Amino acid sequence: MLLHIPEVLAASDVTRFRTLLDQAEWVDGRVTAGPQSARTKDNQQISEDNPAAKEIGGLILDALQSNAMFMSAALPLRVFPPLFNRYQGGQSFGTHVDNAIRQVAGTPHRIRTDLSATLFLTDPGDYEGGELIVEDTYGVQTIKLPAGHLVLYPGTSLHHVRPVTRGARVSSFFWIQSMVRDDGRRTMLFDMDMAIQRIAQESPSHPSVVQLTGVYHNLMRQWAEL
């Protein structure tokens, strides 16, 4: 499942975060790349231990926790602390697949990367190029979203970022270990949850609401890993 989640961050938050990020120290983005992706990665990142990155990352995690669509689609068990990257002056990231396991810096904790996420912090009109290209089950998808919007997609997907030929593309990126590792099952649960919510809004007393909610939770009992 590839999902566009709108307005994860308010415009005022994006502006404040960008001010802090623009003042931070940026380093070669290959510091977080594996051996395969390092050969095709050309961007800048902010160090994981940078105070501004940690502060903004925590606020992003708070925003995700309160976003009903994200919680329903990702069913998060663990979320990797958000990282930040910047592409400019022709920089790009060639086709790659994300590492299956990520170590959280400075801790003994690791997460399985069931889902990848990119949270855009630059409006599309402020730069040219920089599209995120994801090879999805249903073909090649091109993603370039407004600032504050997020795209969620399976960590198993091949993807790349096209060269940025004007301006700068700034984003946050991170990974999620889901309670339900299988993408097909997560998609089924998300579709069911959305349908239950629609029925509940249109006909709150309809008996199907309780019945379908029971089916949803029984499937979660079978599939969830905690």
Side-chain angles (χ1 to χ4, degrees):
M1 173 174 59
L2 188 153
L3 183 66
H4 168 198
I5 303 179
E7 298 176 342
V8 172
L9 297 178
S12 58
D13 290 327
V14 172
T15 300
R16 181 161 57 95
F17 294 173
R18 280 296 310 276
T19 299
L20 292 172
L21 293 172
D22 288 345
Q23 296 171 352
E25 180 182 0
W26 292 82
V27 300
D28 191 324
R30 284 174 291 186
V31 295
T32 59
Q36 176 267 327
S37 59
R39 292 192 291 270
T40 62
K41 186 176 187 180
D42 179 20
N43 66 9
Q44 296 175 304
Q45 288 182 202
I46 295 178
S47 173
E48 295 179 53
D49 59 3
N50 182 283
K54 286 186 173 182
E55 177 187 354
I56 297 169
L59 294 171
I60 289 173
L61 292 178
D62 290 343
L64 294 173
Q65 184 72 29
S66 61
N67 188 288
M69 181 177 289
F70 173 82
M71 297 299 291
S72 177
L75 297 172
L77 179 62
R78 300 182 184 91
V79 181
F80 194 90
L83 302 174
F84 301 90
N85 60 22
R86 180 171 67 189
Y87 295 84
Q88 58 186 358
Q91 290 180 318
S92 64
F93 197 164
T95 301
H96 64 285
V97 64
D98 292 333
N99 292 347
I101 305 294
R102 302 289 309 200
Q103 182 85 34
V104 180
T107 78
H109 305 302
R110 294 178 293 176
I111 76 162
R112 186 183 65 238
T113 58
D114 298 322
L115 290 155
S116 299
T118 296
L119 175 60
F120 289 78
L121 298 174
T122 312
D123 278 316
D126 292 339
Y127 63 100
E128 291 181 4
E131 295 87 354
L132 171 65
I133 310 299
V134 179
E135 296 186 22
D136 186 52
T137 306
Y138 301 103
V140 177
Q141 309 294 325
T142 301
I143 302 110
K144 189 173 183 178
L145 301 179
H149 292 222
L150 179 143
V151 63
L152 192 66
Y153 58 98
T156 55
S157 304
L158 286 172
H159 56 285
H160 67 274
V161 177
R162 288 178 176 163
V164 172
T165 57
R166 178 184 64 83
R169 172 199 191 266
V170 179
S171 302
S172 176
F173 64 102
F174 50 92
W175 300 272
I176 301 100
Q177 180 171 335
S178 178
M179 290 183 286
V180 178
R181 75 166 71 193
D182 181 78
D183 182 60
R185 290 176 173 178
R186 278 197 313 274
T187 302
M188 188 184 304
L189 288 167
F190 176 70
D191 289 344
M192 184 178 292
D193 189 21
M194 294 298 99
I196 291 169
Q197 292 184 41
R198 284 194 295 271
I199 295 172
Q201 290 175 355
E202 296 170 3
S203 183
S205 61
H206 197 289
S208 294
V209 173
V210 174
Q211 185 177 19
L212 288 172
T213 300
V215 172
Y216 176 91
H217 286 287
N218 287 334
L219 288 173
M220 280 289 292
R221 287 187 183 93
Q222 290 188 39
W223 295 341
E225 305 171 22
L226 304 177

